[in-house]
Amino acid sequence: MSSGPANGALLTLSGVEVTINTLSGPVHPLQGVDLEVYPGETVGLVGESGSGKSMTLRSILRLMPPGGAITGGSVKWQDRSVLDLDTDELQAYRGADVAMIYQNPVSALDPLLSVERQIVDAFKANRETSDGVAEEFARDALRDLEFGNPDVILNRYPHQLSGGMAQRVNIALALACGPSLILADEPTTGLDMTTQIRVLDLLEQQVHARNAALLFISHDLRAVSRVARNIGIMYAGQVVEFGPRERILTDPSHPYARALLECMDLRTGERPRSIPGLVPRMTEEYELCAFRDRCPSRMAVCDEERLPVHELGRRGRLLCHLGPDHG
C-alpha cells in the first residue's frame, strides 16, 4: 500500500453511501458517512441499533451483505481508494492493514480448529516464517491478554471457551497480522459487566502497546467512552456529531447526542430512560434531518432545508440547524 496520505490520516471515509437491494425494496443503511482515523488514535462510534455503525465497518473492509453495495462516496486507506483494490490487494489489506474483532466471539472463531492453529495461521498469513515462531507469538499474545496458562488455552477449541476467553482470543487473532487499524464491532456484547471492563481495558492496552489505531463501535456510550479519545455520534446512516471525548460527554451540541447522554446519566433509584419516538426506517433516503420527528428542538427550517455542516475546532463536526452554540 501507499507510504502515507497528504493529510496524515490512515483511513478516510467521505460521503459513504450503501444500498442493499432486498425482495421488499432497497434499504439505505449509510447515507453519507464522513470519518477520519489517524495513526495511533482511538475513535468510537455510538448510536442506537440501526444507526449504521456495523455497516460503516463493513464498508471499510468492503464486506457487503448479499445485495449490498457502496453506491456513493469514497473509502481511502492512506491515499489509495479501497474501492479500487483488486482481489490480491484487498486480501492483503484485510488483516495486514486493517483487522476486525466481531461482536459474537465464539461464532467468530473456526469451530474445527484449535486456538493455536487459528492464531498461528493468522500470524503466518502475511509473513514467511516457521510454525515455531508463530507458536511463540501465540503463546506471548495470550500471556499479554492475561491468560495464566496459555498452553492450556492454545490446545482448546472455541466451544471450550467462555465468552470473555473467546473474545480475548479474537483480540489476539486481530493483532496477529500486525495491523495499523483494528475495527471492534461491539466486542463486549453478551459479556457480564466485570468481563466487559476487563476486555475493554485489555483491548486498549494491547492496541496502545502496538501503536495501532482503534475504531470501536457500540450502542453503549459508557463502553465507547472507556476506550475512545474521539467520539462520533451516528444517526440514520450519518455521523451527526464528532469531537473529543471530553466535549461529547459533557457538552455535546446535537440534540440526539444530548439525549444519549441523558439516557446514560442515571442516578440511584431511577428507571432507565429512553428517547421518545422511533428510529427512522432506512427504506427511505433522508434529504432533511432524520432526527427531526424525535427532536425537542425542532424548528421550521428543519422541515425545509438540508442539514448544514458546522466545523468545530480542528476535527469536530456537527450536522444540525441549531449550530454549535445552542446548549
Side-chain angles (χ1 to χ4, degrees), residues 224-291:
V224 169
S225 64
R226 191 173 186 90
V227 299
R229 297 296 182 266
N230 291 296
I231 296 176
I233 304 296
M234 285 204 74
Y235 191 80
Q238 291 184 313
V239 179
V240 295
E241 184 167 5
F242 185 89
R245 175 176 60 187
E246 292 72 18
R247 183 177 66 76
I248 296 294
L249 292 180
T250 59
D251 189 29
S253 297
H254 199 282
Y256 179 62
R258 293 201 300 272
L260 286 178
L261 200 61
E262 290 171 2
C263 291
M264 187 181 77
D265 184 26
L266 290 179
R267 295 170 178 80
T268 302
E270 287 187 348
R271 297 181 62 185
R273 307 172 191 173
S274 61
I275 302 173
L278 300 175
V279 175
R281 295 177 300 172
M282 299 314 292
T283 51
E284 299 181 30
E285 294 183 84
Y286 295 92
E287 294 189 1
L288 304 177
C289 176
F291 187 62

Coordinates of all heavy atoms in Angstrom, one line a residue, residues 224-291:
V224 N -17.9 3.0 24.9 CA -17.2 3.8 23.9 C -16.3 4.8 24.7 O -15.1 5.0 24.3 CB -18.1 4.5 23.0 CG1 -17.4 5.5 22.1 CG2 -18.8 3.5 22.0
S225 N -16.9 5.4 25.7 CA -16.1 6.5 26.4 C -14.9 5.9 27.2 O -14.0 6.6 27.5 CB -17.0 7.3 27.3 OG -17.5 6.5 28.3
R226 N -15.0 4.6 27.5 CA -13.9 4.0 28.2 C -12.6 3.8 27.4 O -11.5 3.9 27.9 CB -14.3 2.6 28.8 CG -13.3 2.0 29.8 CD -13.9 0.8 30.4 NE -13.0 0.3 31.5 CZ -13.0 0.7 32.8 NH1 -14.0 1.5 33.1 NH2 -12.2 0.3 33.6
V227 N -12.8 3.6 26.1 CA -11.6 3.4 25.2 C -11.3 4.4 24.2 O -10.2 4.5 23.7 CB -11.7 2.0 24.5 CG1 -11.9 0.9 25.5 CG2 -12.9 2.0 23.6
A228 N -12.3 5.3 23.8 CA -12.1 6.2 22.7 C -11.7 7.6 23.2 O -12.3 8.1 24.1 CB -13.4 6.2 21.9
R229 N -10.8 8.2 22.5 CA -10.4 9.6 22.8 C -11.2 10.6 22.0 O -11.4 11.7 22.4 CB -8.9 9.8 22.4 CG -8.0 8.9 23.3 CD -8.1 9.3 24.8 NE -7.1 8.5 25.6 CZ -7.4 7.4 26.2 NH1 -8.7 6.9 26.1 NH2 -6.6 6.7 26.9
N230 N -11.7 10.1 20.8 CA -12.6 10.9 20.0 C -13.8 10.1 19.7 O -13.8 8.9 19.5 CB -11.9 11.3 18.6 CG -10.8 12.3 18.8 OD1 -11.0 13.4 19.3 ND2 -9.6 11.9 18.5
I231 N -15.0 10.7 19.7 CA -16.3 10.0 19.6 C -17.1 10.6 18.5 O -17.3 11.9 18.4 CB -17.0 10.0 20.9 CG1 -16.2 9.3 22.0 CG2 -18.4 9.4 20.8 CD1 -16.9 9.3 23.4
G232 N -17.7 9.7 17.7 CA -18.7 10.2 16.7 C -20.1 9.6 17.1 O -20.2 8.5 17.5
I233 N -21.1 10.5 16.9 CA -22.5 10.1 17.2 C -23.1 9.8 15.9 O -23.2 10.7 15.0 CB -23.2 11.2 17.9 CG1 -22.5 11.6 19.2 CG2 -24.6 10.8 18.3 CD1 -22.4 10.5 20.3
M234 N -23.6 8.6 15.7 CA -24.3 8.1 14.5 C -25.8 8.1 14.6 O -26.3 7.7 15.6 CB -23.8 6.8 14.0 CG -22.4 6.8 13.5 SD -22.1 5.3 12.3 CE -23.0 5.9 10.9
Y235 N -26.5 8.6 13.5 CA -27.9 8.5 13.5 C -28.3 8.4 12.0 O -27.9 9.2 11.2 CB -28.6 9.7 14.1 CG -30.1 9.6 14.3 CD1 -30.5 8.9 15.4 CD2 -31.0 10.1 13.4 CE1 -31.9 8.7 15.6 CE2 -32.3 9.9 13.6 CZ -32.8 9.2 14.7 OH -34.1 9.0 14.9
A236 N -29.2 7.4 11.7 CA -29.7 7.2 10.4 C -28.7 7.3 9.3 O -28.8 8.0 8.3 CB -30.8 8.3 10.1
G237 N -27.6 6.6 9.5 CA -26.6 6.4 8.5 C -25.7 7.6 8.3 O -25.0 7.7 7.2
Q238 N -25.6 8.5 9.3 CA -24.7 9.6 9.2 C -24.0 9.8 10.6 O -24.5 9.5 11.6 CB -25.4 10.9 8.8 CG -25.9 11.0 7.4 CD -26.5 12.4 7.1 OE1 -27.3 12.9 7.9 NE2 -26.2 12.9 6.0
V239 N -22.8 10.4 10.5 CA -22.1 10.8 11.8 C -22.6 12.3 12.0 O -22.1 13.2 11.4 CB -20.6 10.8 11.7 CG1 -19.9 11.3 13.0 CG2 -20.1 9.3 11.4
V240 N -23.5 12.5 12.9 CA -24.2 13.8 13.1 C -23.4 14.7 14.0 O -23.5 15.9 14.0 CB -25.6 13.6 13.6 CG1 -26.5 12.9 12.6 CG2 -25.6 12.9 15.0
E241 N -22.4 14.1 14.8 CA -21.5 15.0 15.6 C -20.3 14.2 15.9 O -20.3 13.0 16.1 CB -22.2 15.4 16.9 CG -21.3 16.3 17.7 CD -21.9 17.1 18.9 OE1 -23.1 16.8 19.1 OE2 -21.3 17.9 19.5
F242 N -19.1 14.9 15.8 CA -17.8 14.2 16.1 C -17.0 15.2 16.8 O -17.0 16.4 16.6 CB -17.1 13.9 14.7 CG -15.9 13.1 14.9 CD1 -15.8 11.7 15.0 CD2 -14.6 13.8 15.1 CE1 -14.7 11.0 15.2 CE2 -13.5 13.1 15.3 CZ -13.5 11.7 15.4
G243 N -16.3 14.7 17.8 CA -15.4 15.6 18.6 C -14.7 14.8 19.7 O -14.8 13.6 19.8
P244 N -13.8 15.5 20.5 CA -13.1 14.9 21.5 C -14.0 14.3 22.6 O -15.1 14.9 22.9 CB -12.2 16.0 22.1 CG -12.8 17.2 21.6 CD -13.5 16.9 20.4
R245 N -13.6 13.3 23.3 CA -14.4 12.6 24.3 C -14.9 13.6 25.3 O -16.1 13.6 25.7 CB -13.6 11.5 24.9 CG -14.3 10.8 26.1 CD -13.5 9.6 26.6 NE -12.2 10.1 27.1 CZ -11.2 9.2 27.5 NH1 -11.4 7.9 27.4 NH2 -10.1 9.7 27.9
E246 N -14.1 14.5 25.8 CA -14.4 15.4 26.9 C -15.6 16.2 26.5 O -16.5 16.5 27.3 CB -13.2 16.2 27.3 CG -12.1 15.5 28.0 CD -11.3 14.6 27.0 OE1 -11.4 14.9 25.7 OE2 -10.6 13.7 27.4
R247 N -15.6 16.7 25.3 CA -16.7 17.6 24.9 C -18.0 16.8 24.6 O -19.1 17.2 25.1 CB -16.4 18.4 23.6 CG -17.5 19.4 23.2 CD -17.1 20.2 22.0 NE -16.9 19.4 20.8 CZ -17.9 18.9 20.1 NH1 -19.2 19.1 20.5 NH2 -17.7 18.2 19.0
I248 N -17.9 15.7 24.0 CA -19.1 14.9 23.7 C -19.7 14.4 25.0 O -21.0 14.3 25.1 CB -18.7 13.6 22.8 CG1 -18.2 14.1 21.4 CG2 -19.9 12.7 22.7 CD1 -19.2 14.8 20.6
L249 N -19.0 14.1 26.0 CA -19.5 13.6 27.3 C -20.0 14.7 28.2 O -20.8 14.4 29.1 CB -18.5 12.7 28.0 CG -18.1 11.4 27.3 CD1 -17.1 10.7 28.2 CD2 -19.3 10.5 27.1
T250 N -19.6 15.9 28.0 CA -20.0 17.0 28.9 C -20.9 18.1 28.2 O -21.8 18.6 28.8 CB -18.8 17.6 29.5 OG1 -17.9 18.2 28.5 CG2 -18.0 16.6 30.4
D251 N -20.6 18.4 27.0 CA -21.3 19.5 26.3 C -21.5 19.2 24.8 O -21.0 20.0 24.0 CB -20.4 20.8 26.5 CG -21.2 22.0 26.0 OD1 -22.4 22.0 26.1 OD2 -20.5 23.0 25.6
P252 N -22.2 18.2 24.5 CA -22.5 17.9 23.0 C -23.4 18.9 22.5 O -24.2 19.5 23.2 CB -23.1 16.5 23.1 CG -23.8 16.4 24.4 CD -22.9 17.2 25.3
S253 N -23.4 19.1 21.2 CA -24.2 20.1 20.5 C -25.5 19.5 19.9 O -26.5 20.2 19.8 CB -23.4 20.9 19.5 OG -22.4 21.6 20.0
H254 N -25.4 18.3 19.4 CA -26.5 17.7 18.7 C -27.6 17.3 19.6 O -27.3 16.6 20.7 CB -26.1 16.6 17.8 CG -27.1 16.2 16.7 ND1 -28.2 15.5 17.0 CD2 -27.1 16.5 15.4 CE1 -28.9 15.3 15.9 NE2 -28.2 16.0 14.9
P255 N -28.9 17.5 19.4 CA -29.9 17.1 20.3 C -29.9 15.6 20.5 O -30.3 15.1 21.6 CB -31.2 17.5 19.6 CG -30.8 18.7 18.8 CD -29.4 18.4 18.3
Y256 N -29.6 14.8 19.5 CA -29.5 13.3 19.7 C -28.4 12.9 20.6 O -28.5 12.1 21.5 CB -29.3 12.7 18.3 CG -29.3 11.2 18.4 CD1 -30.3 10.4 18.9 CD2 -28.1 10.5 18.0 CE1 -30.2 9.0 19.0 CE2 -28.0 9.1 18.1 CZ -29.1 8.4 18.6 OH -29.0 7.0 18.7
A257 N -27.2 13.6 20.5 CA -26.1 13.3 21.4 C -26.5 13.7 22.8 O -26.2 12.9 23.8 CB -24.9 14.1 20.9
R258 N -27.2 14.8 23.0 CA -27.6 15.1 24.4 C -28.6 14.1 24.9 O -28.6 13.8 26.1 CB -28.2 16.6 24.3 CG -27.2 17.7 24.0 CD -27.7 19.0 24.5 NE -28.9 19.4 23.9 CZ -29.0 20.0 22.7 NH1 -27.9 20.4 22.1 NH2 -30.2 20.4 22.2
A259 N -29.5 13.6 24.1 CA -30.5 12.6 24.5 C -29.8 11.3 24.9 O -30.1 10.7 25.9 CB -31.5 12.3 23.4
L260 N -28.7 10.9 24.2 CA -28.0 9.7 24.6 C -27.3 9.9 25.9 O -27.2 9.0 26.7 CB -26.9 9.4 23.5 CG -27.4 8.8 22.2 CD1 -26.2 8.6 21.2 CD2 -28.2 7.5 22.4
L261 N -26.8 11.1 26.1 CA -26.1 11.4 27.4 C -27.1 11.4 28.5 O -26.7 10.9 29.6 CB -25.4 12.8 27.3 CG -24.3 13.1 28.2 CD1 -23.1 12.1 28.1 CD2 -23.8 14.5 28.0
E262 N -28.3 11.9 28.3 CA -29.3 11.8 29.4 C -29.7 10.4 29.7 O -29.9 10.1 30.9 CB -30.5 12.7 29.0 CG -30.2 14.2 28.9 CD -31.4 14.9 28.3 OE1 -32.4 14.3 28.0 OE2 -31.3 16.2 28.2
C263 N -29.7 9.6 28.7 CA -30.1 8.1 29.0 C -29.0 7.5 29.8 O -29.3 6.6 30.6 CB -30.2 7.4 27.6 SG -31.7 7.9 26.7
M264 N -27.7 7.9 29.6 CA -26.6 7.3 30.4 C -26.5 7.8 31.8 O -26.1 7.2 32.7 CB -25.3 7.6 29.6 CG -24.1 6.9 30.2 SD -22.6 7.3 29.3 CE -22.2 9.0 30.0
D265 N -27.0 9.0 32.0 CA -26.9 9.7 33.3 C -28.0 9.3 34.3 O -28.8 10.1 34.6 CB -26.9 11.2 33.1 CG -26.6 12.0 34.4 OD1 -25.9 11.4 35.3 OD2 -27.1 13.2 34.5
L266 N -27.9 8.0 34.7 CA -28.9 7.5 35.7 C -28.4 7.7 37.1 O -27.2 7.5 37.4 CB -29.1 6.1 35.4 CG -29.9 5.7 34.2 CD1 -30.1 4.2 34.1 CD2 -31.3 6.4 34.1
R267 N -29.3 8.2 37.9 CA -29.0 8.3 39.4 C -29.6 7.1 40.1 O -30.5 6.5 39.6 CB -29.5 9.7 39.9 CG -28.8 10.8 39.2 CD -29.4 12.2 39.6 NE -28.7 13.3 39.0 CZ -28.8 13.7 37.7 NH1 -29.6 13.0 36.9 NH2 -28.1 14.7 37.3
T268 N -29.1 6.9 41.3 CA -29.6 5.8 42.1 C -31.1 5.8 42.3 O -31.7 6.8 42.6 CB -28.9 5.8 43.5 OG1 -27.5 5.8 43.3 CG2 -29.4 4.6 44.3
G269 N -31.7 4.7 42.0 CA -33.2 4.6 42.1 C -34.0 5.0 40.9 O -35.2 4.7 40.9
E270 N -33.3 5.6 39.9 CA -34.1 6.0 38.7 C -34.3 4.8 37.7 O -33.4 3.9 37.7 CB -33.3 7.1 38.0 CG -33.4 8.5 38.7 CD -32.7 9.6 37.8 OE1 -32.1 9.2 36.8 OE2 -32.9 10.7 38.2
R271 N -35.4 4.9 37.0 CA -35.6 3.9 36.0 C -34.9 4.3 34.7 O -34.7 5.4 34.5 CB -37.1 3.8 35.7 CG -37.9 3.3 36.9 CD -39.4 3.2 36.5 NE -39.6 2.2 35.4 CZ -40.8 2.0 34.8 NH1 -41.8 2.7 35.2 NH2 -40.9 1.1 33.9
P272 N -34.4 3.3 33.9 CA -33.7 3.6 32.7 C -34.6 4.5 31.8 O -35.8 4.3 31.7 CB -33.5 2.2 32.0 CG -33.5 1.3 33.2 CD -34.5 1.8 34.2
R273 N -34.0 5.4 31.1 CA -34.7 6.3 30.2 C -34.6 5.9 28.8 O -33.7 5.1 28.4 CB -34.2 7.8 30.4 CG -34.1 8.3 31.8 CD -33.4 9.6 31.9 NE -33.1 10.0 33.2 CZ -32.3 11.0 33.6 NH1 -31.8 11.8 32.6 NH2 -32.1 11.3 34.8
S274 N -35.5 6.4 28.0 CA -35.4 6.1 26.5 C -35.7 7.4 25.8 O -36.2 8.3 26.4 CB -36.4 5.0 26.1 OG -37.7 5.4 26.4
I275 N -35.3 7.4 24.5 CA -35.6 8.6 23.7 C -36.9 8.4 23.0 O -37.2 7.4 22.4 CB -34.5 8.7 22.6 CG1 -33.1 8.8 23.3 CG2 -34.7 9.9 21.7 CD1 -31.9 8.8 22.3
P276 N -37.8 9.3 23.2 CA -39.2 9.2 22.6 C -39.1 9.0 21.1 O -38.2 9.5 20.5 CB -39.9 10.5 23.0 CG -39.1 11.0 24.2 CD -37.7 10.6 24.0
G277 N -40.1 8.3 20.6 CA -40.2 8.1 19.1 C -39.4 6.9 18.7 O -38.9 6.1 19.5
L278 N -39.4 6.7 17.4 CA -38.8 5.5 16.8 C -37.6 5.8 15.9 O -37.6 6.9 15.3 CB -39.9 4.8 15.9 CG -41.2 4.3 16.6 CD1 -42.1 3.8 15.6 CD2 -40.8 3.3 17.7
V279 N -36.7 4.9 15.8 CA -35.6 5.0 14.9 C -36.1 5.0 13.5 O -37.0 4.3 13.1 CB -34.6 3.9 15.1 CG1 -33.5 3.9 14.0 CG2 -34.0 3.8 16.5
P280 N -35.7 6.0 12.6 CA -36.3 6.1 11.3 C -36.0 4.8 10.4 O -35.0 4.1 10.6 CB -35.6 7.3 10.7 CG -34.3 7.4 11.4 CD -34.6 6.9 12.8
R281 N -36.9 4.6 9.5 CA -36.8 3.4 8.6 C -35.7 3.7 7.6 O -35.8 4.8 6.9 CB -38.1 3.1 7.9 CG -39.2 2.6 8.9 CD -40.5 2.4 8.1 NE -40.9 3.7 7.5 CZ -42.0 3.7 6.6 NH1 -42.6 2.6 6.3 NH2 -42.3 4.9 6.1
M282 N -34.9 2.8 7.3 CA -33.8 3.0 6.4 C -34.2 2.6 5.0 O -33.4 2.6 4.1 CB -32.5 2.3 6.8 CG -32.0 2.8 8.2 SD -32.0 4.6 8.4 CE -30.7 5.0 7.2
T283 N -35.5 2.3 4.8 CA -36.0 2.2 3.4 C -36.1 3.5 2.7 O -36.3 3.6 1.5 CB -37.4 1.5 3.4 OG1 -38.2 2.2 4.4 CG2 -37.2 0.0 3.9
E284 N -36.0 4.6 3.5 CA -36.1 5.9 2.9 C -34.7 6.6 2.9 O -33.8 6.3 3.7 CB -37.0 6.8 3.8 CG -38.5 6.3 3.9 CD -39.3 7.3 4.8 OE1 -39.0 8.5 4.8 OE2 -40.2 6.8 5.4
E285 N -34.6 7.5 1.9 CA -33.4 8.3 1.9 C -33.7 9.7 2.4 O -34.7 10.3 1.9 CB -32.8 8.4 0.4 CG -32.3 7.1 -0.1 CD -31.8 7.2 -1.5 OE1 -30.6 7.6 -1.6 OE2 -32.5 7.0 -2.5
Y286 N -32.9 10.2 3.3 CA -33.3 11.4 4.1 C -32.5 12.6 3.6 O -31.3 12.7 3.8 CB -33.1 11.2 5.6 CG -34.0 10.2 6.2 CD1 -33.6 8.8 6.3 CD2 -35.3 10.5 6.6 CE1 -34.5 7.9 6.8 CE2 -36.1 9.6 7.1 CZ -35.7 8.3 7.2 OH -36.6 7.3 7.7
E287 N -33.2 13.5 2.9 CA -32.5 14.7 2.5 C -32.5 15.8 3.6 O -31.7 16.6 3.7 CB -33.2 15.3 1.2 CG -33.0 14.4 0.0 CD -33.5 15.1 -1.3 OE1 -34.0 16.2 -1.2 OE2 -33.4 14.4 -2.4
L288 N -33.6 15.7 4.4 CA -33.7 16.6 5.6 C -33.2 15.8 6.8 O -32.9 14.6 6.8 CB -35.1 17.1 5.7 CG -35.7 17.8 4.5 CD1 -37.2 18.1 4.8 CD2 -34.9 19.0 4.2
C289 N -33.2 16.5 8.0 CA -32.8 15.9 9.2 C -33.6 14.7 9.6 O -34.9 14.8 9.7 CB -32.8 16.9 10.3 SG -32.4 16.2 12.0
A290 N -33.0 13.5 9.7 CA -33.8 12.3 10.0 C -34.2 12.2 11.5 O -35.1 11.4 11.9 CB -32.9 11.1 9.7
F291 N -33.6 13.1 12.4 CA -34.0 13.1 13.8 C -35.1 14.1 14.1 O -35.6 14.1 15.2 CB -32.7 13.5 14.6 CG -32.9 13.3 16.1 CD1 -33.2 12.1 16.7 CD2 -32.8 14.5 16.9 CE1 -33.3 12.0 18.1 CE2 -33.0 14.4 18.3 CZ -33.2 13.1 18.9

